[in-house]
Amino acid sequence: MSYPIETIRKDFPILSRSVNGRPLVYLDNAATTQTPTQVVEAMNDVYYNYNSNIHRGVHTLSNICTEAFENARTKVASFIHAEKTEEIIFTHGSTDSVNIIAESFGATFLNAGDEILVSGMEHHSNIVPWQILQDRHQIVLKVIPILDDGSLNMSEFRKLLTPKVKLIAITHISNVLGTINPVESIIAAAHQKDIPVMVDGAQAIQHLTIDVQQLDCDFYVFSGHKIYGPTGIGVLYGKSKWLNKMQPIHGGGEMIKKVTFEKTTYNDLPYKFEPGTPNYVAAIGLGAAIDYIQKIGNQQIQAHEEDVFNYAKEKLASIEDLIFYGTATHHTSLISFLLKGIHPFDTGTLLDKMGIAVRTGHHCAEPLMDHFQIPGTVRASFAMYNTREEIDALHAGLLKVKQLFG
Ligand code: PMP
């Protein structure tokens, strides 16, 4: 069966709008993906037909809503192949998930002098929470360096793997370079030394099939809005052997079993980490996004994205003075580049005038920009609905930018 690109594009109404008088070419999918009608309708359905606070009610609407929320958790568990549904904690997003892990893991397991390993290509949200721990628990943050093609320096990684390391927190895919990191090997090497690994899957969830049991990662985090779901919802997957031991860091309703002024006992997983009213509408929306992806098929989406990416790589390589950042062999469907002598903001602004949405700047990875000694890049990132024609538009747009800058 051929890839149903026409039908898919119709499912995303925003794709048929125009921007600055030109048809929108949306190539900013690493920042956020667009949302199909099916997801918006699933959330409308909650508000129009069964909205009610979950878990605490005996009435019909509350029960329907609770069931839909827990059903979304089951969908997430099956989507990433978690062993147990209780290992799926709903959060506000990847950033929130990393912060919860950092704070809770730090409070439970870390002591002064313990080391955490991150890599030189991390998003700020997988750097700063650990730096906050540096101040709080006097832990030491060590950085796995990267090579010039944007891959990890694995021999340096092995040297850094000393008994002082208590956790590795690493991105699965770089949001700037597109590098797919060898997380399986990292996890295997770490586990030989009993070191747990947290994987930041914010970029990978959109492009790869994730099997947390096969990866054997201890924690995996991602955001709903990067897989065609709503904003304000994310996932923290953790092996129950860790989560059961970890202290909750936010208190309130729902995360308790019994409260007295003398002593409070905490709820079981996953509720121990979900205080207050969760964003159940967005969780239900995320469930609908997963249904949508699975209806099209992960393999089909990946093959389509690869085709668009390869086409883009070839087209952009033909532009004189275009420099690629991130040329590692294992690479996802995004391209970071600069036009020699032209500031990325200027490129992005001019492309926007032509209706083409790309992201420019440091992409929340300033240490990586320092490594390459550049202020930022232009990033075009592709999703299930992008087409070769849109790449032609990007190519033509970049030639125009070059012409305007003489
Ligand atoms: N990690 C990576 C690699 C990312 O690309 C992003 C989003 N750009 C995040 C973490 C943070 O995601 P969110 O803003 O949805 O919390």
Side-chain angles (χ1 to χ4, degrees), residues 30 93-95 123 125 171 173 175 200 202-203 223 225-226:
S94 307
T95 306
H123 188 278
S125 62
T171 194
I173 292 184
N175 65 313
D200 173 357
Q203 293 297 329
S223 307
H225 70 97
K226 299 212 200 249

Side-chain angles (χ1 to χ4, degrees), residues 195-211:
I195 302 166
V197 181
M198 186 214 90
V199 181
D200 173 357
Q203 293 297 329
I205 195 75
Q206 190 193 133
H207 301 295
L208 304 177
T209 304
I210 304 301
D211 185 330

Side-chain angles (χ1 to χ4, degrees), residues 80 82 87-88 212 217-221 235-239 243:
I80 63 168
E87 295 176 321
I88 304 299
V212 289
C217 54
D218 299 277
F219 302 98
Y220 199 95
V221 306
V235 169
L236 184 177
Y237 157 82
K239 282 184 182 166
L243 294 177

